Amino acid sequence: MDFQIVFSDIDGTLLNSKHRIPDSTLKVLNALRRAGIPFVIVTARGPQGVRPIFNRYGFVYPMICYSGALIIDDKNTIIRSDGVSAEDAKEIISYLEGNHFNCTWNVYSEELWIVNDRSDKRIQREEEIVEVNATEGSIELLPEDAVVGKVLCMCEPDDICAIENDLKNRFPYLSIVKSSDTLLEVMGKGITKASGVEYICQKMNIATDRAVAFGDHFNDADMLRAVGIPFLMGNAPDEMKKEFKCVIGTNDEDSILRAFERIGFQ
């Protein structure tokens, strides 16, 4: 099957459960580079959480961060920054704190990552995974003209659905989606991974039906629907597997390599 560009989520997809890229996937990346086929990172992470991966493996790719809100090219130039205003972010945080939800909040604005409590074990775990230290403080650390890529709620699995529904009812003009069993992304309306994919394809004059995409969770669903050649990881939620029939192996197997073999690229 002919394709001209590849998009991939990071956590649960490009990285295995040890947060490393399997050797078989590195072979695919090298083969794509030799073939001149662009590869683009699409992630809920911020750029500061992607660069340690680039440094570890000695490559740089364009990245769609904050699930579509921030797009940076392979020269580290911001080509799109969208999201909510600092005022809107303050309103979201005020609502979270005022209702005493069982979650801890994170605010991301381009390179800035603000949290309310670095001693929270959920934040400590995220720092370990992305290999970046957050800045502890209040929402007032945001410059008045800041563009907030996302507000991230770190929840407990038993509480996340209720918090998601509550926020969707209170902020219907925002894009709110789960990216794991504990992470809830709050972004500007219309911001999705699909919007980032479509933006990149338009700039490169590539039809989205000639694009391959890999993902593993609910915030990848729009992206998988948007491309012509989607692949859903085997570690995805069962609910997603009911919609997508393009299910491959898990992120702890040679699944991305096998997917490319399936479409005739080796």
Side-chain angles (χ1 to χ4, degrees):
M1 188 177 295
D2 193 18
F3 64 94
Q4 296 181 327
I5 192 168
V6 179
F7 298 92
S8 179
D9 170 54
I10 291 181
D11 298 291
T13 303
L14 189 68
L15 302 184
N16 60 24
S17 58
K18 296 180 180 179
H19 309 295
R20 295 293 185 267
I21 300 178
D23 289 342
S24 60
T25 302
L26 290 173
K27 291 178 181 178
V28 170
L29 296 179
N30 288 332
L32 290 171
R33 186 180 66 251
R34 289 193 299 270
I37 297 172
F39 180 82
V40 182
I41 296 290
V42 191
T43 179
R45 293 190 187 198
Q48 72 276 46
V50 179
R51 293 194 185 99
I53 299 172
F54 290 169
N55 293 337
R56 175 173 293 113
Y57 295 103
F59 53 55
V60 176
Y61 292 110
M63 47 182 163
I64 299 171
C65 297
Y66 304 137
S67 296
L70 181 67
I71 302 179
I72 300 177
D73 67 15
D74 57 359
K75 302 293 189 290
N76 202 36
T77 300
I78 294 175
I79 59 176
R80 180 186 180 188
S81 182
D82 200 357
V84 301
S85 66
E87 183 178 349
D88 284 338
K90 291 174 184 177
E91 184 178 356
I92 297 165
I93 298 305
S94 177
Y95 185 75
L96 290 170
E97 293 182 339
N99 284 273
H100 305 289
F101 289 125
N102 184 20
C103 69
T104 188
W105 58 259
N106 306 245
V107 171
Y108 296 84
S109 177
E110 296 189 353
E111 301 287 346
L112 184 61
W113 174 18
I114 303 172
V115 301
N116 60 335
D117 181 10
R118 282 194 66 208
S119 68
D120 190 296
K121 293 188 181 302
R122 294 167 293 193
I123 288 173
Q124 292 177 348
R125 180 174 182 274
E126 184 73 5
E127 288 181 327
E128 291 174 2
I129 290 172
V130 302
E131 302 175 68
V132 177
N133 290 331
T135 298
E136 183 175 291
S138 75
I139 191 69
E140 301 301 327
L141 288 175
L142 277 176
E144 287 187 9
D145 61 349
V147 176
V148 176
K150 72 172 181 178
V151 175
L152 174 66
C153 303
M154 294 177 175
C155 313
E156 297 303 317
D158 291 342
D159 300 317
I160 191 168
C161 289
I163 295 173
E164 178 186 18
N165 290 333
D166 196 302
L167 288 176
K168 284 181 174 179
N169 289 331
R170 174 61 181 82
F171 301 101
Y173 53 89
L174 297 177
S175 177
I176 301 171
V177 63
K178 286 189 293 184
S179 58
S180 80
D181 292 338
T182 59
L183 301 180
L184 188 61
E185 318 279 339
V186 183
M187 300 161 294
K189 192 67 174 179
I191 293 176
T192 64
K193 290 189 176 185
S195 70
V197 165
E198 289 162 357
Y199 183 87
I200 290 288
C201 285
Q202 185 176 24
K203 283 190 71 73
M204 300 186 70
N205 197 29
I206 296 173
T208 53
D209 63 2
R210 304 290 290 278
V212 175
F214 294 87
D216 79 302
H217 224 282
F218 292 113
N219 64 329
D220 297 310
D222 285 341
M223 173 176 69
L224 296 179
R225 296 186 194 108
V227 302
I229 313 170
F231 289 105
L232 180 68
M233 304 302 292
N235 44 288
D238 289 340
E239 186 177 340
M240 289 189 72
K241 294 176 183 178
K242 293 176 183 177
E243 175 183 354
F244 296 99
K245 304 308 177 186
C246 49
V247 182
I248 56 176
T250 72
N251 61 324
D252 283 325
E253 301 172 272
D254 296 332
S255 306
I256 291 179
L257 173 64
R258 301 293 172 240
F260 278 104
E261 290 176 347
R262 184 189 301 182
I263 61 175
F265 181 82
Q266 299 185 44

